[in-house]
Coordinates of all heavy atoms in Angstrom, one line a residue:
E5 N -2.2 6.7 -2.2 CA -3.3 6.0 -2.8 C -4.6 6.1 -1.8 O -5.7 6.3 -2.3 CB -3.0 4.5 -3.0 CG -1.9 4.3 -4.0 CD -1.5 2.8 -4.1 OE1 -2.0 2.0 -3.3 OE2 -0.6 2.5 -5.0
L6 N -4.3 5.9 -0.5 CA -5.4 6.0 0.4 C -5.9 7.4 0.6 O -7.1 7.6 0.8 CB -4.9 5.5 1.8 CG -4.4 4.0 1.8 CD1 -4.1 3.5 3.2 CD2 -5.3 3.1 1.1
I7 N -5.0 8.4 0.5 CA -5.5 9.8 0.5 C -6.4 10.1 -0.7 O -7.5 10.7 -0.5 CB -4.2 10.7 0.4 CG1 -3.4 10.6 1.7 CG2 -4.7 12.2 0.3 CD1 -2.1 11.3 1.7
R8 N -6.0 9.6 -1.9 CA -6.8 9.8 -3.1 C -8.2 9.1 -2.9 O -9.2 9.6 -3.3 CB -6.1 9.3 -4.3 CG -4.9 10.1 -4.7 CD -4.5 9.7 -6.1 NE -3.2 10.3 -6.5 CZ -2.1 9.7 -6.7 NH1 -2.0 8.4 -6.4 NH2 -1.0 10.3 -7.0
K9 N -8.1 7.9 -2.4 CA -9.4 7.1 -2.2 C -10.4 7.8 -1.3 O -11.5 7.9 -1.7 CB -9.0 5.7 -1.7 CG -10.2 4.7 -1.6 CD -9.7 3.4 -1.2 CE -10.9 2.4 -1.1 NZ -10.5 1.0 -0.7
K10 N -9.9 8.3 -0.2 CA -10.8 9.0 0.7 C -11.2 10.3 0.2 O -12.3 10.8 0.3 CB -10.1 9.1 2.1 CG -11.0 9.8 3.2 CD -12.4 9.3 3.3 CE -12.5 7.9 3.7 NZ -14.0 7.5 3.9
R11 N -10.3 11.0 -0.5 CA -10.6 12.3 -1.1 C -11.7 12.2 -2.1 O -12.6 13.1 -2.2 CB -9.3 12.8 -1.8 CG -9.5 14.1 -2.6 CD -8.4 14.3 -3.6 NE -8.6 13.3 -4.7 CZ -7.7 13.2 -5.7 NH1 -6.5 13.9 -5.7 NH2 -7.9 12.2 -6.6
D12 N -11.8 11.1 -2.8 CA -12.8 10.8 -3.8 C -14.1 10.3 -3.2 O -15.0 10.0 -4.0 CB -12.3 9.9 -4.9 CG -11.1 10.6 -5.7 OD1 -11.0 11.8 -5.7 OD2 -10.3 9.8 -6.3
G13 N -14.2 10.2 -1.9 CA -15.4 9.8 -1.2 C -15.6 8.3 -1.0 O -16.7 7.9 -0.7
N14 N -14.6 7.5 -1.2 CA -14.7 6.1 -1.1 C -14.3 5.6 0.4 O -13.5 6.3 1.0 CB -13.8 5.3 -2.1 CG -14.2 5.7 -3.5 OD1 -15.4 5.5 -3.9 ND2 -13.2 6.1 -4.3
A15 N -14.9 4.5 0.8 CA -14.6 4.0 2.1 C -13.3 3.2 2.1 O -13.0 2.4 1.2 CB -15.7 3.1 2.6
L16 N -12.5 3.4 3.1 CA -11.3 2.6 3.3 C -11.6 1.3 3.9 O -12.5 1.2 4.8 CB -10.3 3.4 4.2 CG -9.8 4.8 3.8 CD1 -8.9 5.4 4.8 CD2 -9.2 4.7 2.4
T17 N -10.9 0.2 3.5 CA -11.1 -1.1 4.1 C -10.5 -1.2 5.5 O -9.7 -0.4 5.9 CB -10.5 -2.2 3.2 OG1 -9.1 -2.1 3.2 CG2 -11.0 -2.1 1.8
T18 N -10.9 -2.2 6.2 CA -10.3 -2.5 7.5 C -8.8 -2.6 7.4 O -8.0 -2.0 8.2 CB -10.9 -3.7 8.2 OG1 -12.3 -3.6 8.3 CG2 -10.3 -4.0 9.5
A19 N -8.3 -3.4 6.4 CA -6.9 -3.6 6.3 C -6.2 -2.3 6.0 O -5.1 -2.0 6.4 CB -6.6 -4.6 5.1
E20 N -6.8 -1.4 5.1 CA -6.2 -0.1 4.8 C -6.1 0.8 6.0 O -5.0 1.5 6.2 CB -7.0 0.5 3.7 CG -6.8 -0.1 2.3 CD -7.8 0.4 1.3 OE1 -8.9 0.9 1.6 OE2 -7.5 0.2 0.1
I21 N -7.1 0.8 6.8 CA -7.1 1.6 8.0 C -6.0 1.1 9.0 O -5.3 1.9 9.6 CB -8.5 1.7 8.7 CG1 -9.4 2.5 7.8 CG2 -8.4 2.3 10.1 CD1 -10.9 2.4 8.2
N22 N -6.0 -0.2 9.2 CA -5.0 -0.8 10.1 C -3.6 -0.4 9.6 O -2.7 -0.1 10.4 CB -5.1 -2.3 10.2 CG -6.4 -2.7 11.0 OD1 -6.9 -1.9 11.8 ND2 -6.9 -3.9 10.8
W23 N -3.3 -0.5 8.3 CA -2.0 -0.2 7.7 C -1.7 1.2 7.9 O -0.5 1.6 8.3 CB -2.0 -0.6 6.2 CG -0.7 -0.3 5.6 CD1 0.4 -1.1 5.5 CD2 -0.3 0.9 4.9 NE1 1.4 -0.5 4.8 CE2 1.0 0.7 4.4 CE3 -1.0 2.1 4.6 CZ2 1.7 1.7 3.7 CZ3 -0.3 3.1 3.9 CH2 1.0 2.9 3.5
L24 N -2.6 2.1 7.6 CA -2.4 3.5 7.7 C -2.0 3.9 9.2 O -1.0 4.7 9.4 CB -3.6 4.3 7.3 CG -3.5 5.8 7.2 CD1 -2.6 6.2 6.1 CD2 -4.9 6.4 7.1
V25 N -2.7 3.4 10.2 CA -2.5 3.7 11.6 C -1.1 3.2 12.0 O -0.3 3.8 12.7 CB -3.6 3.2 12.5 CG1 -3.2 3.3 13.9 CG2 -4.9 4.0 12.2
E26 N -0.9 1.9 11.6 CA 0.4 1.3 12.0 C 1.6 2.0 11.4 O 2.6 2.3 12.1 CB 0.4 -0.2 11.6 CG 1.7 -0.9 12.0 CD 1.7 -2.3 11.4 OE1 0.9 -2.7 10.6 OE2 2.6 -3.1 11.9
Q27 N 1.5 2.4 10.1 CA 2.6 3.0 9.5 C 2.9 4.4 10.0 O 4.0 4.8 10.2 CB 2.4 3.1 8.0 CG 2.4 1.8 7.3 CD 3.7 1.0 7.3 OE1 4.7 1.6 6.9 NE2 3.7 -0.2 7.9
Y28 N 1.8 5.1 10.3 CA 2.0 6.5 10.9 C 2.5 6.4 12.3 O 3.4 7.2 12.7 CB 0.7 7.2 10.9 CG 0.8 8.7 11.4 CD1 1.6 9.6 10.8 CD2 0.1 9.1 12.6 CE1 1.8 10.9 11.3 CE2 0.2 10.4 13.0 CZ 1.1 11.3 12.4 OH 1.2 12.5 12.9
T29 N 2.1 5.4 13.1 CA 2.6 5.3 14.5 C 4.1 5.1 14.5 O 4.8 5.5 15.4 CB 1.9 4.1 15.1 OG1 0.4 4.3 15.1 CG2 2.3 3.9 16.6
H30 N 4.6 4.3 13.5 CA 6.0 4.0 13.5 C 6.8 4.9 12.6 O 7.9 4.6 12.1 CB 6.2 2.5 13.0 CG 5.7 1.5 14.0 ND1 4.4 1.0 13.9 CD2 6.2 1.0 15.1 CE1 4.2 0.2 14.9 NE2 5.3 0.1 15.7
D31 N 6.2 6.1 12.3 CA 6.9 7.2 11.5 C 7.3 6.8 10.1 O 8.2 7.4 9.5 CB 8.2 7.6 12.3 CG 7.9 8.2 13.7 OD1 6.9 8.9 13.8 OD2 8.7 7.9 14.6
H32 N 6.6 5.9 9.5 CA 6.8 5.5 8.1 C 6.0 6.4 7.2 O 6.2 6.4 6.0 CB 6.5 4.0 7.9 CG 7.4 3.1 8.7 ND1 8.7 3.3 8.9 CD2 7.0 2.0 9.4 CE1 9.2 2.4 9.7 NE2 8.2 1.6 10.0
I33 N 5.0 7.1 7.8 CA 4.2 8.1 7.0 C 4.4 9.4 7.6 O 4.3 9.6 8.8 CB 2.7 7.7 7.0 CG1 2.4 6.4 6.3 CG2 1.8 8.8 6.4 CD1 1.0 5.9 6.4
P34 N 4.8 10.4 6.8 CA 5.1 11.7 7.4 C 3.9 12.5 7.8 O 2.8 12.2 7.3 CB 5.9 12.5 6.3 CG 5.4 11.8 5.0 CD 5.1 10.4 5.4
D35 N 4.1 13.5 8.6 CA 2.9 14.4 9.1 C 2.2 15.0 7.9 O 0.9 15.1 8.0 CB 3.4 15.5 10.0 CG 3.7 15.0 11.4 OD1 3.3 13.9 11.7 OD2 4.2 15.8 12.2
Y36 N 2.9 15.4 6.9 CA 2.2 16.1 5.8 C 1.2 15.2 5.0 O 0.1 15.6 4.6 CB 3.1 16.8 4.8 CG 4.1 15.9 4.0 CD1 3.7 15.2 2.9 CD2 5.4 15.7 4.5 CE1 4.5 14.4 2.2 CE2 6.3 14.9 3.8 CZ 5.8 14.2 2.6 OH 6.7 13.4 1.9
Q37 N 1.5 13.9 4.9 CA 0.6 13.0 4.3 C -0.5 12.6 5.2 O -1.7 12.5 4.8 CB 1.3 11.7 3.9 CG 2.2 11.9 2.6 CD 2.6 10.6 2.0 OE1 3.2 9.7 2.8 NE2 2.4 10.3 0.7
M38 N -0.3 12.4 6.5 CA -1.4 12.2 7.5 C -2.3 13.4 7.6 O -3.5 13.3 7.7 CB -0.8 11.8 8.8 CG -1.9 11.5 9.9 SD -3.1 10.2 9.3 CE -2.1 8.7 9.5
S39 N -1.7 14.6 7.5 CA -2.5 15.8 7.5 C -3.5 15.8 6.3 O -4.7 16.2 6.4 CB -1.6 17.1 7.4 OG -0.8 17.2 8.5

Side-chain angles (χ1 to χ4, degrees):
E5 296 173 356
L6 303 189
I7 293 169
R8 291 193 188 108
K9 185 176 181 179
K10 179 49 66 178
R11 178 201 65 189
D12 295 338
N14 298 307
L16 300 180
T17 67
T18 301
E20 287 169 338
I21 290 172
N22 288 339
W23 180 86
L24 186 70
V25 170
E26 181 183 12
Q27 293 298 303
Y28 182 60
T29 302
H30 294 95
D31 297 322
H32 300 316
I33 293 175
D35 278 354
Y36 62 82
Q37 283 191 309
M38 182 54 77
S39 296

